[in-house]
Amino acid sequence: MLYAILAYHEEKIVESWTAEEDAAVMTGLLKVHERLDREKALGPSARLGTTGQAVTLRGPGAGMVIDGPFAETKEQLLGLYVVDCADRDAAIAVARDLRRANPTAVYEIRPVRRYIPGASLPGMQA
């Protein structure tokens, strides 16, 4: 089953890292990425740009584009991974591996279902 692992962190803390500190975290994360890639369990992953570069589309009709993600939280979504794991426990184990490389981050684990227009989700009636 596919799981999304969403990486949250306080953006100001990440931005305060020196180039060496950032590289050390990225090196640790790369070790997890390489293992997952060898296991053919790593799907798309990305390091997102800053929330200062983000915009949100909301509202009726064509909507209105407004600055920022408007999250009421200390932590911001800074990256994501899609991993193919046997079950939730295996996905949690991957998140723990990522956390060892970046111990001050928060990782949210969610099942991912492929969206197919018109198809019902498992356990739901059409």
Side-chain angles (χ1 to χ4, degrees):
M1 177 166 199
L2 296 178
Y3 288 87
I5 300 177
L6 308 175
Y8 292 88
H9 209 298
E10 289 187 50
E11 198 168 62
K12 289 180 182 180
I13 291 173
V14 173
E15 290 173 348
S16 74
W17 292 344
T18 65
E20 293 79 17
E21 290 169 323
D22 187 73
V25 169
M26 291 300 115
T27 298
L29 293 173
L30 182 59
K31 289 177 184 175
V32 178
H33 293 196
E34 289 171 341
R35 178 180 57 82
L36 292 171
D37 193 45
R38 281 191 309 273
E39 295 170 0
K40 303 209 182 308
L42 182 63
S45 60
R47 186 175 188 182
L48 301 177
T50 66
T51 56
Q53 297 169 312
V55 296
T56 300
L57 176 65
R58 65 172 63 211
M64 175 176 36
V65 176
I66 50 181
D67 290 338
F70 277 118
E72 295 288 333
T73 179
K74 283 185 177 182
E75 293 118 359
Q76 290 77 38
L77 177 61
L78 299 184
L80 63 100
Y81 306 85
V82 176
V83 294
D84 188 3
C85 296
D87 55 31
R88 190 179 106 178
D89 290 338
I92 291 170
V94 170
R96 285 191 171 126
D97 289 341
L98 295 167
R99 187 170 169 85
R100 277 189 275 283
N102 189 1
T104 56
V106 174
Y107 292 94
E108 176 182 347
I109 298 102
R110 289 193 201 180
V112 173
R113 293 186 179 122
R114 186 171 173 209
Y115 173 68
I116 303 171
S120 62
L121 294 173
M124 300 180 78
Q125 294 180 355

